[in-house]
Amino acid sequence: MTVIVVGAGISGVTAAIELKTRGHKVILVDPGPVPHPLAASTDISKAVRAAYGPDEDYTALAERSIPIWREWNRKFGTELYHETGVLFVCRQPMRPGDFEFESARVLEKHRHPFERFEATEFHQRFPAFAQERFHDGFFDPEAGFAESGRVVATLVDYAKSLGVELRENTKVTALNEGSNSVKGVLLENGHFIDGDAVVVAAGAWTPYLLQETKAFFRATGHPVFHLKPPRPELFRPERFPFFGADISTTGFYGFPLNQGVVKIANHGGGREMSPDSAERVVTAEEENNLRVFLRSTIPSLADAPIVYTRICMYCDTNDGDLWIASDPKRPNLIISTGDCGHGFKFAPVLGEITADAVEGNPNPTLKKFRWRPEVKAGEMKEAARFEG
Ligand SMILES: Cc1cc2nc3c(=O)[nH]c(=O)nc-3n(C[C@H](O)[C@H](O)[C@H](O)COP(=O)(O)OP(=O)(O)OC[C@H]3O[C@@H](n4cnc5c(N)ncnc54)[C@H](O)[C@@H]3O)c2cc1C
């Protein structure tokens, strides 16, 4: 088939590589230079975790992805994925139903190694955190973070080397509709690209490109801060791994020192907005919330200079699960998005899942990511997500 992939973020480029590998002709279209500076995938780091509260599907998907992340480091001859471990800590003892308790229970069940919190050694081992702040949690050594922007750049080069036709600086403005299928896409310059199938992987732009999907996709903006630590030695990965601090009730998480900065962000409700909106800047309130959090939790960063901020966009679904499915009314239209702020870690398996949706192959994961307009907002959420 000739497959047009709209969007060269991680969802699009992994789909393009897998479809090309399966012998299809692939045209990958993106309005930016790729990696697109405003894309969610274009960042210095994204967490790779198997801890997903009670949701064993995501833990299993992460456990399939992590060995491939390691393999990608070898295959591409550069450390894109840093297995520095992840730390989830909480102020109260872990209780059944909590994100931390359920994550530890599932990790144990999956025989995934993890170390339970030990109050006496915690502060010696992770000195940047305020003493006496946390009283329970766990460290998962087989996890870490990926340098997402570099991952996309590396995969785009790889896709091109396989023969994927990349059309940069090219924006799709509409689908070229047939009776009960799509014939291709219309570009901003008025030209058409014809194809046998179209994969829309336009991230948070999807509900703006395909207006009818606003019923089940919402673009939300989330603040990201890069801070210059006064004592960088406290923030090296072995002393300050990726962490979630009561993440499901505060939203706050952060990364070790990387490219000279410590990144702190919030996995919360966010602000609904178009990815191209002028509102896409961090507010004084968001910065103040950060400072309050740091003062109580990571004191040595409380007054650290902020060297960069960004509003990064989620494409939210009504239940917090990804969306990789063909449209029942137009089966050769496949939408691969709905990241809800947690899809990057699955990059090693995303392409296969999307290609199976394009080819109509049975894939158990597609059940979870199926076309589900019947699911209403508020019914469920991703376990680590803070709804505030
Ligand atoms: C603040 C924040 C923190 C996150 N942290 C994590 C994390 O720690 N771990 C994790 O696993 N995930 C995380 N995520 C989620 C992760 O970033 C996403 O799952 C992933 O990047 C989504 O990739 P995508 O390709 O679907 O979208 P994007 O990366 O946004 O790519 C979409 C692409 O579509 C293109 N496009 C848009 N409109 C058009 C058009 N009309 N025509 C053609 N192309 C178009 C854009 O230019 C862009 O390149 C986070 C996200 C955010 C916002």
Side-chain angles (χ1 to χ4, degrees):
M1 291 195 278
T2 296
V3 185
I4 304 162
V5 178
V6 180
I10 200 66
S11 303
V13 72
T14 52
I17 288 169
E18 182 65 20
L19 288 161
K20 185 66 190 161
T21 306
R22 294 184 186 191
H24 302 288
K25 176 177 186 275
V26 181
I27 303 165
L28 180 58
V29 186
D30 198 290
V34 173
H36 190 294
L38 294 178
S41 302
T42 311
D43 204 335
I44 62 170
S45 55
K46 302 284 180 186
V48 175
R49 57 174 161 110
Y52 258 90
D55 195 322
E56 297 198 40
D57 297 333
Y58 284 123
T59 296
L61 216 52
E63 286 179 328
R64 281 188 52 213
S65 301
I66 291 169
I68 305 173
W69 277 117
R70 296 179 188 132
E71 170 50 35
W72 279 3
N73 283 351
R74 285 189 290 275
K75 178 179 177 137
F76 297 115
T78 179
E79 198 178 5
L80 297 168
Y81 164 63
H82 302 269
E83 192 151 308
T84 53
V86 298
L87 182 64
F88 287 102
V89 283
C90 38
R91 300 187 61 196
Q92 304 304 326
M94 298 197 300
R95 284 182 312 246
D98 287 355
F99 167 76
E100 294 79 10
F101 181 97
E102 297 302 327
S103 295
R105 178 182 61 74
V106 170
L107 291 177
E108 192 162 42
K109 182 178 170 197
H110 284 231
R111 302 191 191 297
H112 189 108
F114 71 97
E115 299 157 32
R116 185 73 186 262
F117 181 97
E118 222 295 306
T120 46
E121 67 140 11
F122 179 77
H123 196 61
Q124 282 138 21
R125 193 169 167 191
F126 308 116
F129 293 101
Q131 277 213 327
E132 308 307 320
R133 180 77 180 163
F134 299 113
H135 297 92
D136 210 342
F138 62 87
F139 177 72
D140 170 0
E142 291 194 355
F145 70 93
E147 295 189 45
S148 58
R150 273 204 323 122
V151 170
V152 172
T154 304
L155 292 179
V156 165
D157 289 345
Y158 180 58
K160 289 194 282 187
S161 74
L162 292 176
V164 168
E165 182 189 335
L166 174 65
R167 304 253 191 117
E168 287 182 282
N169 308 311
T170 305
K171 184 174 182 176
V172 170
T173 52
L175 298 172
N176 183 10
E177 302 275 3
S179 49
N180 50 17
S181 68
V182 290
K183 295 188 284 187
V185 296
L186 171 63
L187 304 178
E188 196 170 38
N189 61 12
H191 295 177
F192 289 92
I193 305 177
D194 296 338
D196 302 303
V198 174
V199 174
V200 173
W205 284 271
T206 305
Y208 297 88
L209 175 61
L210 306 178
Q211 297 277 333
E212 70 278 17
T213 68
K214 279 198 169 148
F216 38 82
F217 294 142
R218 252 168 20 102
T220 55
H222 301 262
V224 174
F225 303 89
H226 293 185
L227 298 113
K228 199 146 192 57
R231 298 179 54 199
E233 72 283 3
L234 285 178
F235 297 92
R236 302 207 183 293
E238 62 282 6
R239 306 179 87 192
F240 192 82
F242 169 87
F243 76 91
D246 283 305
I247 191 168
S248 64
T249 55
T250 72
F252 281 109
Y253 63 93
F255 295 82
L257 193 68
N258 172 24
Q259 300 177 25
V261 297
V262 172
K263 170 182 158 184
I264 307 281
N266 192 282
H267 190 41
R271 290 181 281 136
E272 184 162 2
M273 64 177 78
S274 155
D276 302 320
S277 142
E279 285 175 80
R280 203 177 159 173
V281 286
V282 166
T283 64
E285 187 197 353
E286 286 163 342
E287 182 173 336
N288 184 51
N289 293 344
L290 171 81
R291 295 293 184 193
V292 170
F293 166 74
L294 293 174
R295 204 151 283 120
S296 64
T297 307
I298 312 172
S300 68
L301 276 185
D303 302 312
I306 293 173
V307 292
Y308 171 79
T309 63
R310 170 184 205 226
I311 289 290
C312 177
M313 303 296 300
Y314 295 5
C315 179
D316 271 332
T317 59
N318 288 336
D319 55 13
D321 289 328
L322 279 62
W323 188 295
I324 303 179
S326 66
D327 176 353
K329 295 199 191 78
R330 300 166 289 181
N332 67 339
L333 168 65
I334 293 85
I335 297 184
S336 177
T337 188
D339 69 278
C340 306
H342 68 103
F344 197 94
K345 63 181 70 60
F346 306 119
V349 294
L350 277 181
E352 165 215 304
I353 300 168
T354 306
D356 280 342
V358 172
E359 295 180 338
N361 301 335
N363 181 318
T365 312
L366 286 172
K367 184 162 177 293
K368 193 177 185 80
F369 303 155
R370 69 194 184 288
W371 194 277
R372 52 195 196 281
E374 74 285 359
V375 173
K376 297 295 170 246
E379 286 178 15
M380 274 176 55
K381 72 171 186 72
E382 188 259 312
R385 183 91 176 254
F386 168 49
E387 287 189 303

